[in-house]
Structure formats: C-alpha cells, structure tokens
Amino acid sequence: MTAIVVEALVKIVLLCFALMTAAAYLVLLERWIAAWVQDRLGPNRVGIPLTKIKMFGLGQPLADGLKFIFKEVYTPSHVDKVLYIVAPISILAAALATFAVIPFGSVLPSDLGFPQPDGGPIRLVVAPGIDVGMIYVFALSSLAVYGVILGGWASNNKYSFLGGLRSSAQLIAYEIPLGLGILGVVLAAGSLRLDTIITSQATSGLWNVLVQPLGFLVFLIAAFAESARLPFDLPEAEQELIGGYHTEYSGMPLLLYLIAEFLHMVTAAFLIVILFFGGWHFWGLTGSSDEIGWGTAILRVVVLVVKVLATIVFMMMVRWSWPRFRFDQLMALAWKVMLPLGMVNLVLMASLVEYGEDITATWGRAFLIAGMWIATLLACLAAAWIAPLSGDNRPRMDAA
C-alpha cells in the first residue's frame, strides 16, 4: 500500500512540474510563432539574470512568472469576493485533475521491482486502471465552464458577464459533437480506458484517423472550440469584450486563468493524439507489447511527446492564421454542421463495428479505409450544400 501511495505521489509531482514548465515555455513558443507569422522579432533578449547571456530569450517565461507573482493582487470593490477568488482556482484545479487518467507514456519495464495490484508493470499514468477514463475527462472538462461563468458573474462587469454567457453557450454547444467524435473511437476500441484505446491502435497498426476521418474532423473542430482559442475565442474577444470573463483579474488570479487556458490546449492535444494518432505507437519503432525494456519505454514517451508538440504547434498556427468567427456562425457551425456530421460518424462506426470484419475479410483494409474517406467527403459536401453560410467567415454584405 505504501509503495502504491509513493508511486502515485512521484507521478503527481513529476506531472505537475512538467505541466507547469510546459505551460510557461508554450507561451514563449506561441509568442515566437506569432512573431514569425507577423514577420517581426519575438522575445529574444531575456536570458540568465545578472549576465549578458541571452539564450534566445529562454529566460522570458521566468521573468513573466516573477512579474505575475510580485504584482499586486488588486480586488475591485464591486466584485463578489468569494466567487471572484474561487473561479480561477476551480478552473485550474479541474484542468490539472484531468491529467490523472491521461497516460504520458506506456509502461516501465516489468523487472523494476515495484509489484502492482494487478501483477502488471508500472503504467505511466497517475491513476491506472480507471475503466471510465473518457467519462472522467469529459466530466472534468465540463467543469471548466463553471470557472468561466463564476468569473464572469463575480466580476460584476458587463464585458465579463457577456464573456461568461458566450463561454457557457459555446462549451455546451460543442460538447455534443465532441462526445459524438469520442463515441466512434470508444465503439472501435470497445473500452473507455485511454491506454486500451492506444493499445488497440498499436495492435492493429491502424490509427483511428485513417479509419475514422469524419470522427477526427468533428473531434478536432470541437476540441478547438472547447479550448476557446482562435477562431473560437469568443469568450475573450479582446476587440469586443476587452478580455471577457477575466477583464477584472490581474496578478496571480489572472495567471491561474492563463495557465488553465494553456492546460486545456495541452489536454486537447493529448486527446487528439491518443484517440486518433496512436498515442505512443509508431510503426516499426515502438511495438505493441507490454514486455519492453528501458529503451522502448523511453522511446514511447518521446514519440508521444513529439506528437503532442506537433499538434500544439498546429493549434498555434491556426490561432495566428484564422480570423475569428461571428457568434451566430459559431452556433450555426455547432448545431447545423458539427452535430449532423457527428451523428453520421456514429452511424458509420456502428455499421463498421457490426460488419467491418466481413468487409475486411472480403475486400481488404484498403477498401475499408477508402470507403470511410469517401463517406467523409460525401458527408462534408452534403453539410456544405445544406448549410452553406455556417462556415462562411466573410462579411455579410446584405446586413443592414
């Protein structure tokens, strides 16, 4: 029992340190990418304090963190002080707790000497063996909306309140297609455990993105919307709401909101990689068995981290390349496009689970994959024909 508690504490400390460090340096990475997109110089001066060593600006996150920590925490007199303080704490706690069931690797070698209750090797996840892992992630990601609503309500400010209302409408609307995208993966793997979903892809050699392109498209767009980043950053929208729900926040409370925002992006990247890109699996490198040595265990962690970083860079490029949707377009996209496409994906995956083995035995995997991609193309064309204005981000010239 003591060994299990120590193992869990070590994992929690390592994971929290990695997440906090990642959040700090992802901010720097995003500022570099924004500077590159806008053809200007990004942060490149701050290095080691009291020296002239600049280190390409790698000291910038430390300087930003110290500035936030030593900045005066000003609480406006017109806010609800209890909810004002609880809101950023709740959203950060929910964002961190989500990682309890998200694996950050595969397993450690079985000869390490720490016996597990199930007799297997040590799994690189804080809470292994949770059979409802996906439901847990879904539930905690839903709790994040309360932090935003509480912050908007407690601030007693019209811009903050509008930001909170927008966030609640947006997150509730996109949770349905997000769940429909996940259901296809759960049907294919036959489990709600994230490590089992990775293992099923590693064993078959077929990543879900190849078999379920429509589910991937729906999940990707819904994940963008759930993380509230451009082109879905309506709850903040600096040009309209001057920051939205965190307009009245500064210092450490604002830092908690900003860290939670980046953790939501990291969570979305982990889920995209685990559900659709094989997690730690890569053909010819990582294998699929739990009987591995240290080299394979480390290689699987590296493969997973590289995939997650690539996904995060893609999300940052989208943020600095795409204009923001109007709010009516945002809602129309969720209810008129994403929801029907998610339902189509669910029906396709249910049919595939029922008849997929017969199709593969008769026509082969290539025919199965080609059929799913053709069905995806037809579904997208049908959605574009039925609701053509939903994804059109151009100004409406007929508006009064």
Side-chain angles (χ1 to χ4, degrees):
M1 185 66 184
T2 305
I4 295 175
V5 173
V6 171
E7 176 194 329
L9 289 176
V10 169
K11 288 178 180 176
I12 291 171
V13 170
L14 288 176
L15 190 62
C16 288
F17 175 77
L19 289 174
M20 292 297 109
T21 306
Y25 277 92
L26 285 176
V27 173
L28 179 63
L29 176 62
E30 178 150 33
R31 293 176 70 181
W32 280 343
I33 290 177
W36 177 70
V37 171
Q38 296 169 352
D39 195 19
R40 60 177 173 81
L41 292 177
N44 61 355
R45 293 177 179 273
V46 182
I48 300 176
L50 305 179
T51 69
K52 294 184 179 180
I53 302 175
K54 297 183 178 178
M55 297 174 57
F56 310 104
L58 290 177
Q60 187 69 47
L62 178 62
D64 291 340
L66 290 175
K67 185 188 75 172
F68 271 111
I69 290 172
F70 290 109
K71 202 170 184 179
E72 178 188 5
V73 179
Y74 175 72
T75 304
S77 58
H78 59 273
V79 303
D80 184 321
K81 290 185 172 52
V82 175
L83 296 181
Y84 180 82
I85 295 172
V86 168
I89 296 174
S90 65
I91 193 171
L92 180 62
L96 283 173
T98 306
F99 285 90
V101 297
I102 295 178
F104 49 94
S106 173
V107 295
L108 294 181
S110 54
D111 58 353
L112 197 58
F114 288 92
Q116 298 295 296
D118 60 355
I122 296 178
R123 299 196 172 276
L124 294 181
V125 59
V126 173
I130 304 294
D131 290 331
V132 290
M134 274 315 310
I135 295 178
Y136 175 84
V137 172
F138 209 60
L140 282 182
S141 64
S142 302
L143 285 179
V145 70
Y146 291 105
V148 176
I149 295 174
L150 282 179
W153 175 265
S155 295
N156 198 18
N157 175 305
K158 63 181 178 182
Y159 296 112
S160 303
F161 185 60
L162 282 173
L165 287 180
R166 280 187 177 185
S167 176
S168 58
Q170 175 176 331
L171 295 185
I172 290 172
Y174 279 90
E175 272 187 2
I176 301 173
L178 188 77
L180 291 173
I182 292 173
L183 275 180
V185 176
V186 172
L187 278 176
S191 174
L192 288 165
R193 290 176 56 165
L194 291 170
D195 53 351
T196 304
I197 292 172
I198 297 176
T199 304
S200 68
Q201 296 177 77
T203 305
S204 66
L206 273 180
W207 294 355
N208 285 327
V209 68
L210 299 175
V211 187
Q212 305 183 42
L214 184 57
F216 168 68
L217 181 66
V218 171
F219 184 84
L220 178 70
I221 295 175
F224 265 92
E226 288 284 312
S227 57
R229 296 173 62 80
L230 267 173
F232 300 97
D233 69 333
L234 276 299
E236 298 179 20
E238 290 88 350
Q239 297 87 346
E240 305 167 24
L241 301 180
I242 55 173
Y245 58 90
H246 58 63
T247 300
E248 298 286 358
Y249 284 89
S250 63
M252 283 301 292
L254 177 61
L255 180 63
L256 299 186
Y257 266 128
L258 299 181
I259 292 175
E261 179 185 337
F262 269 84
L263 290 184
H264 287 150
M265 182 177 64
V266 175
T267 305
F270 263 98
L271 291 179
I272 289 169
V273 169
I274 289 173
L275 297 179
F276 293 98
F277 287 92
W280 43 258
H281 173 258
F282 198 87
W283 305 285
L285 285 181
T286 57
S288 60
S289 170
D290 282 349
E291 297 296 328
I292 58 174
W294 278 104
T296 306
I298 295 173
L299 185 60
R300 288 180 177 181
V301 174
V302 171
V303 168
L304 179 61
V305 171
V306 169
K307 288 182 181 179
V308 170
L309 280 178
T311 307
I312 289 174
V313 169
F314 170 72
M315 296 174 82
M316 291 177 176
M317 289 295 294
V318 169
R319 175 183 180 183
W320 292 100
S321 306
W322 278 57
R324 179 182 301 127
F325 286 110
R326 289 195 314 264
F327 197 71
D328 63 309
Q329 292 174 330
L330 186 83
M331 290 292 106
L333 183 65
W335 296 106
K336 296 181 180 177
V337 179
M338 290 296 104
L339 183 58
L341 289 182
M343 294 296 293
V344 170
N345 176 67
L346 183 60
V347 172
L348 284 175
M349 285 312 302
S351 305
L352 190 63
V353 170
E354 184 67 24
Y355 306 109
E357 291 185 2
D358 296 338
I359 296 174
T360 305
T362 306
W363 301 96
R365 284 183 173 182
F367 180 83
L368 179 68
I369 294 173
M372 294 300 287
W373 279 86
I374 291 172
T376 299
L377 180 62
L378 293 176
C380 292
L381 289 175
W385 179 65
I386 295 172
L389 291 178
S390 302
D392 189 349
N393 209 26
R394 291 172 296 182
R396 293 181 60 177
M397 304 306 292
D398 59 339

